[in-house]
Amino acid sequence: MTLKLGIIGTNWITKMFIEAAIATDQYELVAIYSRTEEKGQEFATNFAGDQAVWTDLDAFLQSGIDVVYIASPNSLHFEQAASAIKSGVNVIVEKSAFDNPEQYEKIHSLLQENPSVKLFEAARHIYQDNFKVIEEKIKQMDHISGATFVYEKYSSRFDDYLAGKNPNVLSREFSAGALADLGVYPLYAAIKLFGLPENQYYFATLLDNGADGRGTAILRYPNFDVTLIFGKSTNSYELSEVHGRRDTIVIDNIAELGEVKYDDGQGNLTVISQPAPKNPMVQEAMFFANGLQDNLTTNEYEEAAILSQKVNLVLTKLRQSAGIKFPSDQEY
């Protein structure tokens, strides 16, 4: 069965996901939703085939698609995902999926009312083979002393901010900022590898508009801490590491996972990763396809859903610890 794919959001990450989805041979791009016909048609020229372009969301969701990939600004995810679920359309929503646990609880209720519909949060790195290598190596380590995960990448929109504009990706009004964007990658990695922390603290560097441009988060576990360093206002080339007693897992980039090494602390440094895929979203697209075609076990689907909710919970607590509020927080 080929899944009929519709997309919301006409940006670079949408293009990357579509290319990944097509590469799996499990999806066919059939519909594009855009606020304007012109922009939608322009985006469609990136792909072969005859995709319908819609500017009416309800009509788009009723057009016969099996699954919608949502990569709109974060603040729009909740309403668009809710509309899709009510229409019987499966959902793949980009991180950060939803603003807070209250939104997530409403989505969970809608999924219970529509049991044939599935929802996945796109977090590409945790589905890659090189992330699984890290998971397996951690299981083999006798002791974990802590970890540091770094992902700082200068945003192409930060120049707009400096010019006095208020781009979506750096605006609280669109539920965005460093934590809600790049910070999700190290946070997802930490919770997937180590579970929920006992406490969490976020020390944010705020922009003039109240959004966070960069920051450091500390996740406290019973016997160690995990430090997350991320930002959109500068570049960092620092490695990420998981510390044992003497041994260390060394990761070139916790989001991109280009190379992973294991240092046994006795002078032996071994590359344990495989060459990174050209498109880092292929493996997650395949995982989602398997889930939508009932080729996953119930546990695999539920584990992905629970992990997403845990990330959402900790994201919210981190924001609260830094005093960052989104407009939707006032709705509950």
Side-chain angles (χ1 to χ4, degrees):
M1 169 187 170
T2 301
L3 297 162
K4 295 180 180 178
L5 172 66
I7 60 100
I8 299 176
T10 52
N11 50 45
W12 68 269
I13 200 166
T14 309
K15 184 175 182 292
M16 182 183 289
F17 180 82
I18 293 169
E19 291 171 347
I22 292 172
T24 68
D25 293 326
Q26 303 298 311
Y27 302 81
E28 177 190 5
L29 178 63
V30 299
I32 295 168
Y33 171 78
S34 177
R35 287 174 294 176
T36 67
E37 176 82 15
E38 181 181 9
K39 191 172 183 180
Q41 292 290 355
E42 180 183 356
F43 185 76
T45 62
N46 290 291
F47 308 98
D50 184 23
Q51 297 86 25
V53 174
W54 302 86
T55 57
D56 181 279
L57 182 61
D58 290 334
F60 164 78
L61 293 171
Q62 297 295 333
S63 66
I65 58 176
D66 299 311
V67 55
V68 58
Y69 170 75
I70 300 175
S72 53
N74 292 348
S75 59
L76 304 180
H77 289 179
F78 172 73
E79 293 295 342
Q80 291 171 344
S83 295
I85 295 168
K86 293 174 185 177
S87 298
V89 176
N90 297 294
V91 176
I92 299 169
V93 57
E94 262 301 331
K95 51 77 189 161
S96 303
F98 306 111
D99 290 356
N100 46 50
E102 290 78 13
Q103 283 192 350
Y104 222 124
E105 192 58 40
K106 288 178 179 292
I107 291 294
H108 180 68
S109 296
L110 285 175
L111 289 169
Q112 288 183 315
E113 295 169 10
N114 297 271
S116 64
V117 177
K118 292 185 173 70
L119 179 140
F120 297 91
E121 182 175 17
R124 64 179 187 265
H125 59 318
I126 66 166
Y127 296 103
Q128 292 182 38
D129 288 340
N130 284 347
F131 190 86
K132 296 172 185 177
V133 164
I134 298 170
E135 289 184 288
E136 289 305 312
K137 182 55 70 174
I138 285 175
K139 292 176 184 177
Q140 298 168 15
M141 296 169 72
D142 294 333
H143 179 83
I144 299 298
S145 297
T148 300
F149 295 150
V150 181
Y151 194 35
E152 288 199 87
K153 189 175 180 181
Y154 190 83
S155 171
S156 60
R157 304 304 303 278
F158 200 75
D159 287 341
D160 289 341
Y161 165 76
L162 293 175
K165 301 176 184 177
N166 197 31
N168 296 350
V169 296
L170 292 165
S171 167
R172 287 185 302 111
E173 286 67 36
F174 286 93
S175 306
L179 174 62
D181 185 5
L182 299 190
V184 179
Y185 289 97
L187 181 60
Y188 239 108
I191 295 178
K192 183 77 164 67
L193 295 171
F194 307 117
L196 279 173
E198 290 187 336
N199 286 294
Q200 51 279 306
Y201 310 92
Y202 181 34
F203 305 94
T205 300
L206 299 180
L207 305 176
D208 292 341
N209 62 8
D212 52 326
R214 67 187 304 270
T216 300
I218 307 294
L219 309 182
R220 304 224 71 176
Y221 290 87
N223 300 308
F224 58 85
D225 291 341
V226 176
T227 301
L228 314 178
I229 303 170
F230 47 86
K232 298 173 70 67
S233 59
T234 187
N235 287 312
S236 174
Y237 304 97
E238 292 289 334
L239 299 173
S240 294
E241 296 181 330
V242 178
H243 305 285
R245 188 77 73 186
R246 292 185 176 181
D247 53 343
T248 305
I249 300 173
V250 183
I251 307 155
D252 66 339
N253 185 301
I254 193 59
E256 308 299 337
L257 300 173
E259 185 175 66
V260 182
K261 298 178 181 179
Y262 177 68
D263 190 323
D264 66 1
Q266 300 179 45
N268 300 305
L269 182 64
T270 306
V271 175
I272 59 175
S273 57
Q274 300 296 319
K278 183 177 180 181
N279 186 319
M281 304 180 86
V282 171
Q283 287 172 298
E284 71 166 356
M286 193 69 216
F287 181 88
F288 301 151
N290 284 332
L292 296 173
Q293 295 168 335
D294 296 323
N295 293 327
L296 294 179
T297 66
T298 301
N299 282 346
E300 286 176 309
Y301 174 67
E302 289 181 349
E303 285 173 4
I306 291 170
L307 176 61
S308 176
Q309 287 183 289
K310 287 179 178 179
V311 170
N312 178 268
L313 174 64
V314 178
L315 272 175
T316 303
K317 289 183 176 182
L318 287 171
R319 272 202 302 112
Q320 290 173 340
S321 76
I324 300 170
K325 294 184 178 181
F326 291 158
S328 59
D329 293 336
Q330 302 170 12
E331 298 175 6
Y332 307 102

